[in-house]
Amino acid sequence: MTLSTESTRFLEDLKVYLLASGKNEQATNEIVLELEDHLIEAERDGKSVRAITGDSPADYIQSISKEMAFDPKEAFWIVIQVFLGASSFLYLQNLLNGTTTFSILLVGGFLLISAVYLTTLALLFRQDALRDTARPRLLRYGIHGSVHLLLIVGLLIVNGLIDSPKITLSPSVGWLIGALLIAWILITAWKTKTWILPIAVFVFFVPQLLLLFVFNLSEITAVLVSYVLTSITIAVTFIRSSKNSQAD
C-alpha cells in the first residue's frame, strides 16, 4: 500500500529533523520504518497521520528527538562530508589558478564560513521539518547555498588583495590531494545516489577553463560566470529532483 502525501511528508520531515539533530542514522531509519508500518495500518483503517502523531506532528517529531541520544560520530561524519564538499571548490580553484600555496587568511576564513554554513544549514533543516504547511524549500536552500558560495568567491577575491602568511605544498602533493578530493566526491555521490555535488563541481570549473583559455577572459569574470551557472544548475537539479519525488 502506498502512503498518502501527508504521511510520506511526515516521515521525510522526521528523518531530516533527526539527522539534522545529530542522531544515529541507523536508529533513525529503524524508527522511520517502524512508523511507516504504523501509518500504513492506520490508513488502511481510514485514519490520518494524526492518529499516530496527535494534533501536532511537529511536537511528536520533537518528542522522538528528545528520546534519542546525540551521536557524536554520526554528527562528525556529516560535518566532514559537508566540509570536504565545500572545501573541494576552494582547493580545486587554487589548483586551477596554478598554485598550491594557501594563505592563513584563506584557510581561516574558509573554516569560519564553513562553520557558519553548517550551523545555519542544520537550523534550516530542523525548522523546515517542523513546518505544518507547504514550504518553498528550493527558495530557502537555494538562497542559503548561493550566499555560502558567494562568500567563498568573495574570500578568494579578498585573499588576492591582502597578503598574509602562507602554507605551501609541493606540486605533486597538491595534485594528489586534488585527485583524492575528486575521487571522494564521485565515491560519495555513487554511494548516496546524489549527484548534485559532482554536477556542481563540473559546471563550476569546466566553464572557467573555457572562459580562461579559449575566450581569454579575466580570472574574476570567469569565476563569477561559473558561479552564476552553478547556482542555476543546482536550482534546476533541485526542481527536477522535487518533481521526480512527487511523481513517485
Side-chain angles (χ1 to χ4, degrees):
M1 177 179 176
T2 303
L3 284 173
S4 65
T5 301
E6 182 183 16
S7 294
T8 300
R9 189 183 124 196
F10 166 74
L11 293 175
E12 291 174 350
D13 288 344
L14 173 63
K15 185 173 183 178
V16 168
Y17 188 89
L18 294 179
L19 292 178
S21 300
K23 310 303 181 182
N24 181 269
E25 184 176 6
Q26 182 178 350
T28 296
N29 289 333
E30 290 174 356
I31 289 176
V32 171
L33 289 175
E34 182 180 349
L35 282 173
E36 183 178 7
D37 292 336
H38 291 319
L39 288 170
I40 289 175
E41 292 179 6
E43 291 188 357
R44 281 175 181 167
D45 296 334
K47 300 176 182 177
S48 70
V49 65
R50 295 180 188 273
I52 303 295
T53 66
D55 292 334
S56 176
D59 289 344
Y60 187 80
I61 290 175
Q62 288 178 308
S63 67
I64 292 179
S65 178
K66 291 177 181 177
E67 294 175 358
M68 296 178 66
F70 177 76
D71 188 341
K73 291 183 179 179
E74 191 74 30
F76 176 76
W77 173 240
I78 292 175
V79 168
I80 289 297
Q81 284 184 303
V82 176
F83 178 78
L84 287 177
S87 64
S88 63
F89 285 91
L90 178 64
Y91 189 85
L92 295 175
Q93 181 67 57
N94 258 38
L95 288 183
L96 179 61
N97 295 341
T99 178
T100 54
T101 297
F102 301 87
S103 71
I104 299 300
L105 171 64
L106 186 66
V107 175
F110 180 74
L111 289 174
L112 177 60
I113 292 173
S114 296
V116 173
Y117 174 76
L118 290 171
T119 302
T120 53
L121 182 62
L123 290 174
L124 270 179
F125 280 146
R126 286 161 58 90
Q127 291 176 0
D128 190 59
L130 297 179
R131 292 178 182 269
D132 197 32
T133 56
R135 294 90 66 197
R137 290 180 173 178
L138 177 63
L139 179 60
R140 276 197 298 278
Y141 295 142
I143 292 175
H144 183 261
S146 296
V147 169
H148 175 246
L149 189 55
L150 189 58
L151 287 173
I152 291 178
V153 173
L155 177 62
L156 290 171
I157 295 174
V158 171
N159 182 65
L161 300 175
I162 299 177
D163 190 28
S164 69
K166 295 177 174 58
I167 302 171
T168 301
L169 302 175
S170 67
S172 57
V173 172
W175 283 103
L176 175 60
I177 293 175
L180 291 175
L181 266 178
I182 293 175
W184 175 85
I185 289 171
L186 295 175
I187 292 173
T188 301
W190 176 71
K191 286 185 176 181
T192 60
K193 309 301 180 185
T194 303
W195 295 93
I196 293 178
L197 182 57
I199 291 172
V201 171
F202 179 85
V203 174
F204 188 73
F205 289 105
V206 171
Q208 279 194 63
L209 293 172
L210 294 175
L211 293 174
L212 288 171
F213 300 110
V214 177
F215 297 99
N216 295 319
L217 295 181
S218 67
E219 179 182 324
I220 292 180
T221 300
V223 170
L224 290 177
V225 170
S226 296
Y227 161 74
V228 173
L229 291 176
T230 303
S231 298
I232 294 174
T233 301
I234 291 176
V236 171
T237 302
F238 270 120
I239 291 173
R240 294 188 62 180
S241 176
S242 177
K243 288 183 177 179
N244 291 337
S245 297
Q246 292 176 359
D248 294 339

